[in-house]
Structures are given as C-alpha cells and as structure tokens.
Amino acid sequence: MKNIDENLINISKTLNNAIEVLAIDENSSLKRDILSLGNYCENQNFRLAVFAPFNYGKSTLLNALLGEKTLPIDLIPTTGAAIYVKYGEQLKTKITLNNNKIIEEEGTNILKKYATLDDNRCMNQEVKSVEVYCNHSLLKMGVEFLDLPGTNDREEQNKLVKDQLLTSDLIIQVVDARKLMTLEERENFRDWLLNRGINSVILVINFLNLLEPQEQKDVYYRLRFVAESFRSNLPSGFSNLYRVDALPALRGKLKGDNNEVQRSGLSMLESALQTIIIQQKQEQTFRRERFETISVQVKEIALNQRNNLIKQLKNIE
Ligand SMILES: Nc1nc2c(ncn2[C@@H]2O[C@H](COP(=O)(O)OP(=O)(O)OP(=O)(O)O)[C@@H](O)[C@H]2O)c(=O)[nH]1
Ligand SMILES: [Mg+2]
C-alpha cells in the first residue's frame, strides 16, 4: 500500500504488548496471528494469494494472470514454498537461504531447484524465502501475487499456508469442479477464516470445462449457494464466485488469442480484481478487519483476566 496506516502500526504494537502483559500462551495460534500481523501492517503491496489443495491449478491460474509461464506447474505436487511474485523490469528469481545467503538468477528456472517439492514431497530445508520479479501492469500498481503449496498434503505445508493467508489482502480459493469440498471441510475452513477476520475471499471454479453441459450447470448452481453462504466483505456489486478454466486461459494468453481468454472466464476475473484492488489500496478495509477481529479476541482475554482478579480481591474482603 502506498500509505502505511499508522493506526494499524499502533494497534500492532498494542497487540504485541498484550502478548507479554496477558502472558498469552507461547504456542497458541493467537500469538502466531499477532506476530504475523506485525509484518502485515508494514507491507506496502496489496497481496493477492491463491490457495487450494494440490493440483487444483493455482500456479496455472497465476501464470494465466501474469500472461506467461512463470511459475512451475505439474501433475505431481509441485509448489513447495510460498512464492511471492512482485514487480521488476526483468524476469528474475531471488532465493534467500536460512544462512541469509542470496541467490539471484534471470528467469525462473531456478524455482525447480529451490521452490518445488522433492520426490518425498518435502521442501528444500535450506530455503527461507522465494521471490520472483516480473514486469506486469498489476504488479506495477503495487500488487504482489502469492503462489502457495497445496493444502491437503502435509501438515508442514498447511501451517505455512494458514500463516500466509492471514497476511494476504485478498484470497482466491480455487475449487475443482470435479471434486467439491464436503460440508464439513467447507465449514471448518470458513470458521478458520472468519475467526481471523478474513472475509475477502473469492472462489474460482477451475476444470468446469471438463464436465458435461448439464453437470456444469449443476455444479455452478451448487457453488453459487456455497459462495452466497460465505459472508464476504467484497465491495457491493462484486460477485465472490468466478468460473475460470485456468489452462485454456493460460494458452489463450500465450497465443494472444483474446477470444479464448474471454471464453475461459479469465477476463471477468481480471476486471473484477483490478477494480477491487484499486478500491482497497485507498480504503484498506480488508486489512483493518483482520486487526479488529484479533483485537476483539485479545480484549476478551484482558477482560477475563481483569474479572478474575476482581473476584479474587473480593474474596479477600
Ligand atoms: N485440463 C485442464 N488442466 C488444468 C487446468 N488447470 C490446471 N491444469 C493442470 O493441472 C495440473 C496441476 O496444475 P498446477 O497449476 O500445477 O496446480 P497447483 O494447484 O499449483 O498444484 P501444487 O503446486 O502441486 O499445489 C497441471 O498439469 C495443469 O496443466 C484446466 O483448467 N484444465
Ligand atoms: Mg502450484
């Protein structure tokens, strides 16, 4: 974001103090959330994260938005690290290792070595962070994309993804039209998001083109219902459900075939993203909501501790 919100920085400081004063459990998710929010309020970019189980086409969708095959895509579990895609004049990759050594290389071939999962579906343990710099108009506006590992493979990746979602301004959840989530999976995830004040979620249905026409209608209808039940704080007039066939979208972009891009559904998503991002860079309501939700939780702990103390003091009287 161009203007860092001083108010959020102050709230973040107060929350960090609260960790000490209220002795918030070292290993609690609340403490992790508060620490993550500290970095979040200082991020000047608008972060757009793409999230889903592995093989749902997350990296393909981001490549389609970027208009080139920048991020690794494959049938086997692929993305192993959080990959930040930021603006740069030339396509380049920067890997920071745990010993703070930095490896920079033109292009993105180096991602295969440092940011994809190995044959045991494990991530390279030496890697601290992965950034790709790319020349694209949305990125130039101060947006950064975040490509994440699949969520249904290993607990390690799941944790990483959840931490990253809290510090993302807008989240695209990719849904595979051929295997919809169960009600329980959906509700667990929705509760996890809402407990952290994350309401800025857009559902993108991928692989719809692989279904028969009648099935396409049925699946879309069902997902319309799911999307409507998700309390979203997108600006009014914006749908939180889009249909994008990610691979045809990428192919269309690579060939410069606008009709194919249009048919894939990508153009609708792109124009919605543009407008939402411009508005949010001004208003920052998504960001404030995260801080407000966590602040309410901390306030509750503070009030409980205060009430307990008063009770104990009354007992002395
Ligand atoms: N037919 C078809 N294949 C697709 C589509 N989108 C993605 N794929 C294929 O699905 C596979 C997985 O795509 P990825 O983009 O690597 O999926 P991902 O969600 O990033 O997977 P991980 O990084 O492993 O979590 C690749 O072989 C893609 O070519 C689509 O719209 N149609
Ligand atoms: Mg991927």
Side-chain angles (χ1 to χ4, degrees):
M1 309 268 157
K2 279 283 170 291
N3 320 307
I4 294 183
D5 189 335
E6 288 297 327
N7 200 16
L8 294 187
I9 294 188
N10 287 335
I11 298 176
S12 168
K13 281 186 191 148
T14 309
L15 291 175
N16 271 287
N17 277 342
I19 296 178
E20 307 297 325
V21 178
L22 303 174
I24 292 177
D25 183 4
E26 269 301 296
N27 302 314
S28 65
S29 58
L30 183 60
K31 183 178 168 187
R32 275 169 79 108
D33 291 351
I34 293 173
L35 294 178
S36 300
L37 286 182
N39 298 328
Y40 182 36
C41 61
E42 285 174 14
N43 187 6
Q44 301 210 20
N45 282 336
F46 181 95
R47 183 174 292 165
L48 170 69
V50 180
F51 146 89
F54 78 87
N55 253 347
Y56 273 44
K58 300 178 290 296
S59 304
T60 309
L61 178 68
L62 280 176
N63 282 333
L65 286 168
L66 289 167
E68 51 185 319
K69 200 165 166 282
T70 305
L71 300 159
I73 48 182
D74 209 327
L75 271 175
I76 51 168
T78 309
T79 311
I83 305 178
Y84 296 93
V85 187
K86 303 177 181 177
Y87 177 74
E89 281 182 14
Q90 304 284 338
L91 187 63
K92 133 181 133 173
T93 307
K94 178 174 158 191
I95 311 285
T96 308
L97 301 180
N98 284 326
N99 62 10
N100 289 329
K101 193 178 157 209
I102 290 176
I103 304 164
E104 281 188 308
E105 218 181 91
E106 260 179 44
T108 57
N109 285 340
I110 194 178
L111 287 176
K112 280 208 181 67
K113 180 163 176 207
Y114 289 102
T116 59
L117 298 170
D118 65 16
D119 293 340
N120 295 318
R121 309 202 311 281
C122 287
M123 177 49 197
N124 187 327
Q125 293 299 323
E126 290 174 290
V127 175
K128 187 161 150 193
S129 70
V130 181
E131 287 150 293
V132 168
Y133 293 86
C134 188
N135 193 338
H136 184 274
S137 56
L138 259 187
L139 306 181
K140 201 170 182 180
M141 274 169 55
V143 176
E144 65 187 35
F145 292 161
L146 174 55
D147 189 19
L148 289 166
T151 44
N152 56 342
D153 202 33
R154 275 174 178 265
E155 194 45 39
E156 190 189 337
Q157 268 111 269
N158 254 340
K159 262 196 179 148
L160 180 152
V161 170
K162 286 189 168 175
D163 282 350
Q164 297 291 340
L165 292 186
L166 187 65
T167 57
S168 298
D169 294 286
L170 183 61
I171 293 158
I172 290 182
Q173 186 186 351
V174 181
V175 181
D176 185 333
R178 300 163 304 176
K179 34 185 173 176
L180 300 183
M181 279 190 283
T182 65
L183 186 67
E184 193 187 350
E185 283 170 334
R186 224 164 57 212
E187 285 180 349
N188 284 344
F189 178 60
R190 188 179 59 189
D191 290 350
W192 187 90
L193 290 172
L194 294 182
N195 282 338
R196 285 164 177 78
I198 307 178
N199 294 339
S200 46
V201 181
I202 287 180
L203 299 185
V204 168
I205 318 171
N206 192 15
F207 300 106
L208 203 61
N209 60 336
L210 301 182
L211 303 185
E212 295 300 323
Q214 186 53 45
E215 285 175 328
Q216 293 194 14
K217 279 195 193 136
D218 293 346
V219 167
Y220 191 84
Y221 180 77
R222 198 154 153 224
L223 282 169
R224 181 73 271 156
F225 179 73
V226 171
E228 273 164 14
S229 72
F230 192 94
R231 194 161 50 81
S232 149
N233 63 349
L234 297 181
S236 64
F238 282 95
S239 167
N240 60 348
L241 179 68
Y242 295 83
R243 169 217 171 135
V244 181
D245 301 313
L247 195 56
L250 175 60
R251 285 197 189 123
K253 279 279 184 91
L254 292 176
K255 285 188 288 186
D257 181 343
N258 280 338
N259 285 337
E260 191 169 352
V261 176
Q262 200 93 29
R263 269 199 308 277
S264 73
L266 186 71
S267 311
M268 286 264 283
L269 176 69
E270 276 178 326
S271 85
L273 288 179
Q274 280 241 359
T275 321
I276 293 172
I277 289 168
I278 290 170
Q279 198 211 52
Q280 275 303 309
K281 281 182 76 68
Q282 295 284 330
E283 297 179 7
Q284 303 202 20
T285 40
F286 298 166
R287 217 170 255 210
R288 278 208 302 277
E289 201 144 330
R290 309 281 155 85
F291 282 82
E292 279 161 17
T293 307
I294 302 291
S295 299
V296 167
Q297 291 175 16
V298 171
K299 209 161 143 188
E300 249 169 50
I301 296 178
L303 282 173
N304 277 339
Q305 290 196 7
R306 170 183 169 271
N307 291 343
N308 281 338
L309 192 61
I310 291 176
K311 242 193 228 159
Q312 283 171 20
L313 290 170
K314 274 202 178 134
N315 285 342
I316 298 173
E317 286 165 13

